[in-house]
Amino acid sequence: MLTRIFPFMGWFKKYSGAAFRADIISGLTVALVLIPQSMAYAQLAGMPAYYGLYASLLPPMVAALFGSSRQLATGPVAVVSLMTAASLEPLATAGSEGYIAYALLLALLVGVFQFLLGVLRLGLVVNFLSHPVVNGFTNAAAIIIASSQLSKMFGVYVDKADLQYETIVRVVKAAVHYTHFPSLGMGILAFAIMVGLKKINPKIPNVLCAVVITTVLSWAIGFNHDTAVNVSAIQDARAVEVIGEFNKSVNGIEELAFKRTQLAALEDKAKAEKNRIGYFDAEHDLQVLNYQVNLLKHKSHEYRAELRSMLFSGVEQSDGSIVFFPQGKVPAGMKDDGRTWRIKVGNKPLSTESLRMMGGGAVVGNVPSGFPPLAVPAMDLKVILKLLPFAVIISLLGFMEAISIAKAMAAKTGQRLDPNQELIGQGLANVLGACCSAYPASGSFSRSAVNLQAGAVTGLSSVFTSGIVAVTLLFFTPLLYHLPQAVLAAVIMMAVIGLINASGFIHAWKAQKYDGAISVISFVATLSFAPHLDKGIMIGVALSLGVFLYKSMRPNVAALSKGEDSVLRDASIHGLRECDHIAVVRFDGPLFFANASFLEDQITDRLLNMPKLRHLILVCNGINDIDASGEEALSLIVDTVRSGGRDISFSGVNETVMAVLERTHLLEKIGKDHVYSDTDDALCRTHAVAHADGTESDCPLTTYCRINGNV
């Protein structure tokens, strides 16, 4: 009983010193991969890089302690990080305090939903995400994730557009205008190190090596070269003018946002008091205000784009200060420093007293030392209702990824896996992680594979992984300052290459053409609607459910006949001739309200198209369940067949269906002597009667009956 509540207590049965050493080595190995990966994934989620370390602190340990898989490595993953960004970007600016607060609340909602599914033993709901849908979504997500890192690889900055492909177009245009080649070089070097070490020796932590080498190189060459200057140092009237207009538009947005909050409160108050005039006035004012906000946002976007496109040359003065001239316009007699300088522009007003100028590449920067504060995320009902649909999708998608990995490893280790217990573990990991500044986490395929290959015996390896992350947060965060952003982009792009699986589309198509079509449509829809990834999943799920309903409403109804091997088969598929006097009909699927009339129509068609028919045998081996509508349909079929002077028998009726027939007294109407255990018996008992005085000289079922000694 205790091991069901505390699964980790089962780790120590027959636990040995060798197993302990293996877990320590595995935990260290996974941590060396996790630390740089988590920082990269945090930025993919729109969070500051160090929040990836926070998401790697408690979740790996908690998921291992309360889950059922002993080798599953939990933490930040690519797809969940992308879904987090897609969920939160409509609500707040990436990286802002509000955005971070929403991310922590989202993690809490994901955890609570997963925990409740596990406790209520509802893990099967994950089946609503079919394999073709997940395959299409994952392939599209891999492309979206990789393309989202191009701006960091090229060292350019652009505003995100409404759709992903529009953002990529902006990145390409910005890269054509100016590419920061040192950033591109750092990214390519990181790729070369990771690919090279993977080929030389897969056991070497290639991600960590790439991060260490490029960070040391970044520090040594002064890769990051930012400075703060007064706006008067900018020797370009247009730049100074645009800075002023940009600050004016951004400040205007903030002022209107405050007014919008007040108007929204007045609208809610008027609605509560049933003051219709006050409500409509407030609603009109809100619409006008929203228009003004959108107009200012558009203006600020244009000003931001113009400022980012400006390139400057720096000229050092005798006092050590630097003045900046537009490139190509440095006055004669002055010599620039050889760098290309750009204005660092974000979503906040630019300080005219301390304007940030970038003369190098982007790095991670300051990472706070120590543990994050322990606190429950702030609750807001309106925000919770907005986040809930995304939380459900992330919960199911994250768990499906985790359980797929866990099942694959369990098949190798022979370990017994409990999906509901795994849901509890993943849920608790996200709940407790949210209280420790973690955004949503899930099981990682790459790190779980590393854990298994390193020889992990129990979940204690994940506990050691969390311990190493804790030590890193306490003592080693200053070493991460000079880590180039382009390297984190390369780490992400390298990781998602493994998510691309083109063979999955082919496999789905070979299995069923409609599955292949659903997979392709899910892929195209996810790409088309990105960054609104939920739409791609919803379309895929809707198509899967639609196909399921269609197949349930129109299951296969086969007319059986016999070939040379005396085995009953589908006559239409195998091109077999049917008997004129006996129709053997097999219904493949449960008989319920959605398809009961379909069976009636199929039987009626056979009665009309077979004028010499004397006996109909309904093969019920495929009917595994029946409801009231199905029972009523069978009763009507019996009446229809017998009212025309024909007869009907049933074969292969299972216990569940037979119990319904007995309770409704339909069995008495059919006649117990017309219900047979198998189709062989039914054919041999009815063949002679059906062919009495018949004109069919060569019945395809005759030989069958002779084999059984009944003709």
Side-chain angles (χ1 to χ4, degrees), residues 253-273:
I253 291 171
E254 292 179 356
E255 290 172 7
L256 291 177
F258 179 72
K259 290 181 180 178
R260 186 164 56 181
T261 304
Q262 292 178 319
L263 278 175
L266 288 174
E267 185 183 39
D268 291 340
K269 183 181 178 182
K271 188 176 181 180
E273 295 175 351

Side-chain angles (χ1 to χ4, degrees), residues 636-649:
L636 291 172
I637 288 170
V638 171
D639 291 337
T640 302
V641 172
R642 288 178 177 170
S643 65
R646 305 174 181 91
D647 204 358
I648 184 170
S649 297

Side-chain angles (χ1 to χ4, degrees), residues 545-585:
L545 291 176
V547 169
F548 169 74
L549 289 173
Y550 179 80
K551 287 175 66 65
S552 298
M553 293 169 66
R554 299 178 67 85
N556 183 48
V557 179
L560 305 182
S561 191
K562 183 190 71 64
E564 293 180 358
D565 57 359
S566 300
V567 176
L568 285 168
R569 288 190 173 89
D570 190 323
S572 62
I573 293 176
H574 296 277
L576 303 176
R577 185 171 66 86
E578 297 180 52
C579 175
D580 291 338
H581 303 305
I582 299 178
V584 184
V585 180

Side-chain angles (χ1 to χ4, degrees), residues 20-277:
F20 182 72
R21 285 192 297 274
D23 282 340
I24 290 178
I25 294 170
S26 301
L28 174 62
T29 306
V30 172
L32 296 179
V33 177
L34 173 61
I35 290 170
Q37 262 194 1
S38 66
M39 296 178 70
Y41 289 152
Q43 294 202 316
L44 177 62
M47 307 280 284
Y50 55 87
Y51 274 85
L53 296 175
Y54 296 163
S56 305
L57 183 60
L58 283 184
M61 177 174 64
V62 176
L65 289 171
F66 294 96
S68 63
S69 176
R70 297 187 177 186
Q71 286 84 25
L72 182 66
T74 300
V77 295
V79 174
V80 171
S81 297
L82 181 65
M83 283 297 299
T84 299
S87 306
L88 301 180
E89 282 178 353
L91 302 178
T93 304
S96 64
E97 290 184 9
Y99 186 96
I100 294 169
Y102 291 155
L104 305 189
L105 180 58
L106 181 64
L108 182 66
L109 294 176
V110 167
V112 169
F113 186 76
Q114 288 179 328
F115 180 76
L116 290 176
L117 285 181
V119 170
L120 299 174
R121 318 296 289 177
L122 295 175
L124 291 175
V125 299
V126 76
N127 293 334
F128 281 108
L129 291 174
S130 67
H131 177 72
V133 173
V134 173
N135 179 70
F137 173 80
T138 305
N139 277 276
I143 294 172
I144 294 166
I145 291 169
S147 62
S148 70
Q149 301 305 302
L150 290 175
S151 60
K152 291 178 183 175
M153 288 292 290
F154 290 118
V156 297
Y157 299 84
V158 298
D159 286 351
K160 287 190 176 181
D162 291 335
L163 295 174
Q164 177 73 8
Y165 74 87
E166 294 174 337
T167 304
I168 301 306
V169 170
R170 289 181 180 178
V171 170
V172 172
K173 287 181 178 178
V176 169
H177 173 68
Y178 172 75
T179 294
H180 187 250
F181 288 103
S183 292
L184 184 60
M186 282 289 187
I188 293 172
L189 176 61
F191 267 121
I193 294 169
M194 289 185 285
V195 172
L197 290 180
K198 199 171 185 179
K199 287 184 177 180
I200 295 169
N201 188 348
K203 291 185 178 180
I204 297 175
N206 55 77
V207 175
L208 182 69
C209 290
V211 166
V212 170
I213 292 171
T214 53
T215 302
V216 172
L217 182 61
S218 169
W219 167 77
I221 66 174
F223 175 73
N224 175 246
H225 197 85
D226 292 359
T227 187
V229 298
N230 190 283
V231 72
S232 60
I234 307 295
Q235 303 299 304
D236 182 15
R238 177 58 186 168
V240 174
E241 180 187 353
V242 175
I243 289 171
E245 292 297 325
F246 173 76
N247 285 347
K248 185 178 176 181
S249 63
V250 173
N251 288 326
I253 291 171
E254 292 179 356
E255 290 172 7
L256 291 177
F258 179 72
K259 290 181 180 178
R260 186 164 56 181
T261 304
Q262 292 178 319
L263 278 175
L266 288 174
E267 185 183 39
D268 291 340
K269 183 181 178 182
K271 188 176 181 180
E273 295 175 351
K274 297 182 179 181
N275 181 357
R276 297 184 66 183
I277 295 176

